[in-house]
Amino acid sequence: MNHIKTRINLPETTQKRIVIVGGGFAGIELAKSLRDLNAQVLMIDKNNYHTFQPLLYQVATAGLEPDSIAFPIRKIFKSHKNFYFRMACVNEIRPETQTIVTSIGDVRYDYLVLATGSDTNFFGNQNVAHYSMPMKSIAEALDLRSLILQNFEQALLSGDPVEKESLMNIVIVGGGPTGVEMAGAIAELKKHILPKDYPELNLSAMKICLIEAAPRLLGTFSDKGSGKTQEFLTEMGVTVMLNTQVKDYNGEVVVTQNANINSKTLIWAAGVSGAPVKGMKAESVNRGSRYLVDEYNRVIGYDNIFAIGDVSAHITEENPKGLPMVAPVAMQHAENLGHNLKAIFNNKVSELKPFRYHDKGSMATIGRNKAIADIGKFHSQGFLAWVMWMFVHLFMLIGFRNRVIVFVNWLWSYAIYDRGIRLIIRPFKRTSKETYEVRKAS
């Protein structure tokens, strides 16, 4: 046990310890709110940085450098005297001893907050999990960028028209904000960037397909916003396939119930599931791999374990599947739980506040001067929504430097129709032995 303590290397204290697992939107906001609390706050994450996931697609499509959407966790909390960070993987929770098992040893907790976020959901299709490209992390975004560029380099060398078409074609599965934004970004690459980089290729033969199983895109948006999104994408040359499910994919052919598409790039943005940690009661986790929580975000069946963000599911009559897995929900979870933890520590249990989500609206960008904004009764499609989307995302980024870099990149791209990050820094290669479980574990 002494050896384990040395590896964790946390100072001994009489203060109670709050352990936060996950440095995403929920974990970061909660730790900020606990700055002045008389407690030892420990955050554990497998990365030493926070990722601004809404802009991952711009890293994947060569619009932004990866370090412009990432920020060191320690730098965020450098002035917090009660905050500690350890980079580690959390392998198991042991509620009976109030400890968690990590890759660097065991850690005791008085209060545990699970903010582990979400994983890509392939709905049990192992071929799709193996051959498609998810986009939940910076590493996956860089892999996708490399694959797209590598395929175009290979298309230059191919003398087989079918193979050349397959190398250039790109299929995106999922008509939510991520899929829509990715499709629009790739359409702009095809129009403005790829003809300059690859003038020898006949890019008119390149197909960009967006596949959605539901009858419309952006299902949580207004009907008008959804319809306008499809109109924008169609104008940009994207083939939108609604009411279509992907049945299989072997790395070369996308199989649907309606048609088969030759493509060596399948981007999977069709769904997410929670990312729970082993060790909790089976009845505490729902079918979506999310922790069932009460109105105070306590995990059902536990008094001192909480779940916030994507990994939590507060089931009500209004939301039988739980709230959407988006950043605003996670940040409001964190704000409310921060208030409640302070009330608990100050022996003011009567001041606990049940969580109530305030929907501030939804936005999605499709491309230059094209975006959708649904904010209460206000609905906008086009340039105004695009400007609003830009400033909201700039404001949400952590760090003045990151905001400046992203803003300058956007101005540069807007002014000269260029994306300067078309680099294959680390070539992507999928091994025959790679499986979804291996990828998930890494």
Side-chain angles (χ1 to χ4, degrees):
M1 182 62 71
N2 289 335
H3 177 61
I4 292 175
K5 286 183 178 178
T6 301
R7 294 179 68 191
I8 298 293
N9 198 25
L10 290 171
E12 294 295 334
T13 177
T14 58
Q15 293 176 314
K16 290 186 177 181
R17 178 181 295 156
I18 301 173
V19 177
I20 303 171
V21 182
F25 286 108
I28 293 294
E29 288 302 313
L30 176 61
K32 285 180 178 179
S33 72
L34 302 178
R35 175 172 184 165
D36 299 320
L37 188 65
N38 181 25
Q40 186 184 76
V41 179
L42 170 65
M43 177 177 288
I44 301 175
D45 194 281
K46 63 183 178 180
N47 299 309
N48 72 337
Y49 56 85
H50 165 77
T51 302
F52 189 76
Q53 289 190 334
L55 294 183
L56 277 173
Y57 80 96
Q58 294 202 12
V59 173
T61 54
L64 293 173
E65 304 95 332
D67 60 350
S68 64
I69 66 164
F71 200 84
I73 291 175
R74 286 189 175 88
K75 190 172 182 179
I76 298 172
F77 299 102
K78 62 183 179 181
S79 61
H80 290 223
K81 303 302 181 185
N82 67 336
F83 177 85
Y84 300 86
F85 175 78
R86 294 294 181 266
M87 190 171 75
C89 292
V90 176
N91 301 320
E92 185 180 354
I93 302 168
R94 294 176 178 170
E96 65 278 4
T97 58
Q98 293 193 184
T99 57
I100 58 175
V101 180
T102 81
S103 56
I104 59 173
D106 295 359
V107 181
R108 178 196 57 78
Y109 65 84
D110 293 291
Y111 294 91
L112 175 62
V113 181
L114 299 165
T116 48
S118 57
D119 279 330
T120 303
N121 188 355
F122 296 102
F123 303 101
N125 192 319
Q126 291 301 311
N127 282 339
V128 171
H130 177 72
Y131 289 107
S132 70
M133 301 298 291
M135 199 177 55
K136 290 290 292 178
S137 68
I138 286 178
E140 290 176 344
L142 289 174
D143 284 342
L144 178 54
R145 184 181 78 181
S146 293
L147 178 64
I148 292 172
L149 296 174
Q150 286 168 217
N151 283 350
F152 273 87
E153 296 293 336
Q154 188 63 34
L156 285 172
L157 308 177
S158 176
D160 183 343
V162 176
E163 182 187 37
K164 191 183 292 283
E165 177 187 338
S166 182
L167 287 162
M168 291 192 298
N169 290 347
I170 297 177
V171 177
I172 304 105
V173 182
T178 300
V180 163
E181 290 171 351
M182 177 59 78
I186 294 174
E188 292 196 326
L189 275 178
K190 176 184 176 181
K191 181 177 181 180
H192 301 298
I193 308 300
L194 297 177
K196 299 174 185 176
D197 283 2
Y198 302 97
E200 302 158 74
L201 292 175
N202 176 22
L203 289 169
S204 63
M206 174 186 175
K207 298 176 184 175
I208 305 169
C209 299
L210 177 60
I211 298 176
E212 168 56 42
R216 69 187 184 97
L217 301 176
L218 299 179
T220 59
F221 284 61
S222 65
D223 290 341
K224 184 175 182 180
S226 175
K228 195 65 177 178
T229 297
Q230 184 171 348
E231 180 183 323
F232 282 148
L233 288 171
T234 302
E235 290 173 355
M236 296 169 73
V238 177
T239 300
V240 178
M241 302 170 64
L242 302 176
N243 297 303
T244 303
Q245 292 184 344
V246 172
K247 300 294 186 180
D248 202 3
Y249 181 57
N250 63 1
E252 295 185 0
V253 179
V254 182
V255 179
T256 77
Q257 80 271 28
N258 299 322
N260 294 346
I261 308 165
N262 291 328
S263 176
K264 293 195 175 184
T265 307
L266 175 64
I267 302 169
W268 191 262
V272 293
S273 59
V277 181
K278 185 175 69 172
M280 305 282 278
K281 298 174 183 176
E283 57 268 28
S284 298
V285 183
N286 71 0
R287 294 181 62 186
S289 297
R290 302 169 74 183
Y291 290 114
L292 294 168
V293 299
D294 65 14
E295 58 186 348
Y296 302 105
N297 281 93
R298 282 183 301 223
V299 177
I300 301 300
Y302 301 93
D303 293 327
N304 61 342
I305 301 179
F306 301 83
I308 56 177
D310 291 355
V311 78
S312 70
H314 180 206
I315 306 300
T316 63
E317 291 184 3
E318 296 80 13
N319 298 288
K321 295 182 180 180
L323 290 167
M325 300 161 79
V326 293
V329 173
M331 296 171 79
Q332 290 183 38
H333 273 168
E335 180 183 2
N336 192 74
L337 181 56
H339 168 87
N340 287 341
L341 284 173
K342 289 177 182 178
I344 291 171
F345 272 68
N346 293 323
N347 296 315
K348 297 181 179 179
V349 180
S350 61
E351 296 183 7
L352 291 179
K353 291 196 307 184
F355 178 74
R356 297 289 183 269
Y357 176 53
H358 303 289
D359 189 352
K360 297 179 181 180
S362 302
M363 294 183 178
T365 182
I366 296 96
R368 171 187 295 260
N369 301 334
K370 297 179 178 69
I372 307 298
D374 287 346
I375 304 172
K377 295 182 179 180
F378 173 80
H379 304 284
S380 177
Q381 305 87 35
F383 179 75
L384 177 59
W386 180 71
V387 172
M388 292 170 62
W389 179 92
M390 282 200 305
F391 279 98
V392 166
H393 283 71
L394 281 173
F395 176 78
M396 289 179 67
L397 273 168
I398 296 176
F400 177 75
R401 171 188 172 275
N402 286 17
R403 293 186 185 119
V404 171
I405 290 174
V406 170
F407 185 61
V408 169
N409 269 277
W410 286 349
L411 280 180
W412 180 264
S413 298
Y414 190 81
I416 66 171
Y417 292 85
D418 190 24
R419 296 187 179 206
I421 325 295
R422 301 186 299 280
L423 308 174
I424 305 174
I425 298 295
R426 51 172 206 184
F428 174 74
K429 185 176 181 180
R430 182 184 290 107
T431 64
S432 59
K433 293 182 180 179
E434 182 185 25
T435 64
Y436 172 49
E437 290 302 324
V438 171
R439 176 193 291 167
K440 187 175 178 182
S442 63

